[in-house]
Amino acid sequence: AFYEGFTRLKDSTGRLILPQEFIPAAEQAGLMTTIDNILLFRCVQIVRKLMKQDRRVGIFCNISPTALSDDSFFPQFLEFMRENRDLAGSVIFEIPQSAYETRTSIEARAMAKLVDLGFRFSIDKVTSTEIDLADLERSGVRYVKIAARVLTDQIARKGLRPKSAI
């Protein structure tokens, strides 16, 4: 029922350039919002196509904290999502746990604006189950991707439940 949208680049020879190779350079060059914009547009196209066959489809779309705080990109991005708010149940924005935990007030407000439109968030690259589930819920986070190794370590060390306020 779910897909994940990834940005993948190729060099002039057709070799795949992995995110860990291009993201630092893209961040340094100020290109992350452009990359996010292209990915988002493509995710919306894919969801619209898939929904013709099954309305229960969902796609996780990675978004950088830079995009959330970019005062020239984010208003346009928000307007585009407002125009596509019918996809709110199908497009889930995803950010890494480290970015979520260190988000600025500007980034938190940007997330809230998307949540107000009905969109939800996912946290990935989770390295610790020491998460505040109530805070995630208040922030519009509905999905948390935790590696099996992280979960089994949690169970072995502290019991079955992650630390939670609920």
Side-chain angles (χ1 to χ4, degrees), residues 91-122:
V91 175
I92 302 112
F93 298 108
E94 187 164 85
I95 61 173
Q97 181 182 28
S98 60
Y100 175 80
E101 291 175 350
T102 60
R103 71 194 183 282
T104 65
S105 60
I106 292 169
E107 293 162 355
R109 282 193 301 275
M111 286 177 66
K113 288 176 182 179
L114 290 165
V115 169
D116 288 346
L117 292 176
F119 292 94
R120 297 296 176 247
F121 283 84
S122 170

Side-chain angles (χ1 to χ4, degrees), residues 42-56:
R42 188 67 181 125
C43 284
V44 167
Q45 287 179 320
I46 291 168
V47 166
R48 291 228 179 266
K49 182 178 179 180
L50 292 172
M51 287 178 75
K52 290 177 184 175
Q53 299 157 2
D54 187 351
R55 300 239 0 125
R56 297 170 297 165

Side-chain angles (χ1 to χ4, degrees), residues 142-153:
R142 294 297 180 266
Y143 303 92
V144 179
K145 294 181 180 177
I146 303 175
R149 178 191 47 74
V150 174
L151 282 177
T152 56
D153 288 351

